[in-house]
Amino acid sequence: MAKRDKNTITLGSGKAYMAVFEGEIPDVDTIRAEENRVGWIKGGAALTYTADTETVKDDLGMVSKTVVTEETAELKLGLITWDGMTLQKLIDRCQVTEKDGVRTVKIGGAGNAQGKRYVVCFAHEDKEKGDVVIMIVGNNTAGLTLTYATSDPSLVEPTFAAEPHDSNGTLIEYIEYPPTTSVQGVEQGAVA
């Protein structure tokens, strides 16, 4: 039984993972493998879900019905550590080559398009109340800004637009684990 309830205060950031989407979201153990970790986060993550609605009423205002006409979900991250391989996951029109220890990242151009969708996982670890895992499928829609300054780190801040990933049109999978659950053989909340 999860300890997380309506009185739980959630504090802290988490870890971000990405893997190519191959038709279904992998289990949490698979996605949370170290080789899928995108980088370390600064500034946390933000999940946003919005729904547009339309209300129809009769002329006298006696009956009405409101329906959801469109919905969107976005997951924003702030990555303080990243490399060229991370950029390739964040930018569709991006190719990476390595030769003689030199990595070259080519950004932009239709010929560099990959056409991949990614499973994006944000894992908030909480030893006392249990972990929370958020998973979506989509791509970065925020483009890329790299700022190099003497006093601030060069953050990469992707925004992933969630796409339906199952027969119900699910945009977000939000999973709560009890504190005693073990994922990847590590007690929840422990740093892997």
Side-chain angles (χ1 to χ4, degrees):
M1 176 78 105
K3 280 185 120 177
R4 196 167 283 281
D5 61 27
K6 65 183 178 182
N7 296 313
T8 299
I9 296 172
T10 302
L11 294 173
S13 187
K15 297 177 182 174
Y17 304 88
M18 287 179 70
V20 174
F21 180 65
E22 297 180 6
E24 65 181 52
I25 288 186
D27 63 59
V28 173
D29 288 340
T30 300
I31 193 73
R32 286 179 72 179
E34 180 60 23
E35 63 266 16
N36 293 328
R37 189 172 54 79
V38 183
W40 293 106
I41 293 179
K42 177 161 180 63
L47 176 68
T48 305
Y49 171 84
T50 57
D52 294 335
T53 60
E54 182 178 324
T55 301
V56 292
K57 297 179 184 181
D58 73 294
D59 291 343
L60 299 176
M62 301 299 290
V63 294
S64 68
K65 183 175 183 174
T66 302
V67 294
V68 174
T69 57
E70 187 175 335
E71 56 186 353
T72 59
E74 291 183 334
L75 180 61
K76 296 180 182 181
L77 301 174
L79 299 174
I80 192 169
T81 62
W82 49 271
D83 62 10
M85 299 307 292
T86 305
L87 297 180
Q88 187 175 31
K89 292 177 182 175
L90 301 180
I91 303 167
D92 178 60
R93 291 183 171 192
C94 181
Q95 292 294 326
V96 176
T97 58
E98 294 189 34
K99 183 178 178 184
D100 300 326
V102 176
R103 180 181 292 150
T104 301
V105 181
K106 294 184 178 183
I107 299 172
N112 289 324
Q114 303 169 73
K116 296 178 183 175
R117 295 182 345 165
Y118 288 89
V119 177
V120 183
C121 172
F122 175 76
H124 167 76
E125 298 174 349
D126 187 328
K127 187 179 277 189
E128 182 182 332
K129 297 294 183 179
D131 289 3
V132 172
V133 173
I134 296 167
M135 291 197 289
I136 67 165
V137 172
N139 294 86
N140 174 30
T141 58
L144 175 68
T145 301
L146 296 179
T147 303
Y148 292 87
T150 57
S151 60
D152 295 318
S154 296
L155 290 178
V156 174
E157 299 176 299
T159 299
F160 298 92
E163 300 174 9
H165 62 265
D166 62 17
S167 60
N168 290 325
T170 302
L171 297 177
I172 303 165
E173 290 192 24
Y174 173 90
I175 307 163
E176 295 179 346
Y177 289 94
T180 58
T181 299
S182 176
V183 175
Q184 301 172 329
V186 178
E187 181 182 330
Q188 291 296 297
V191 176

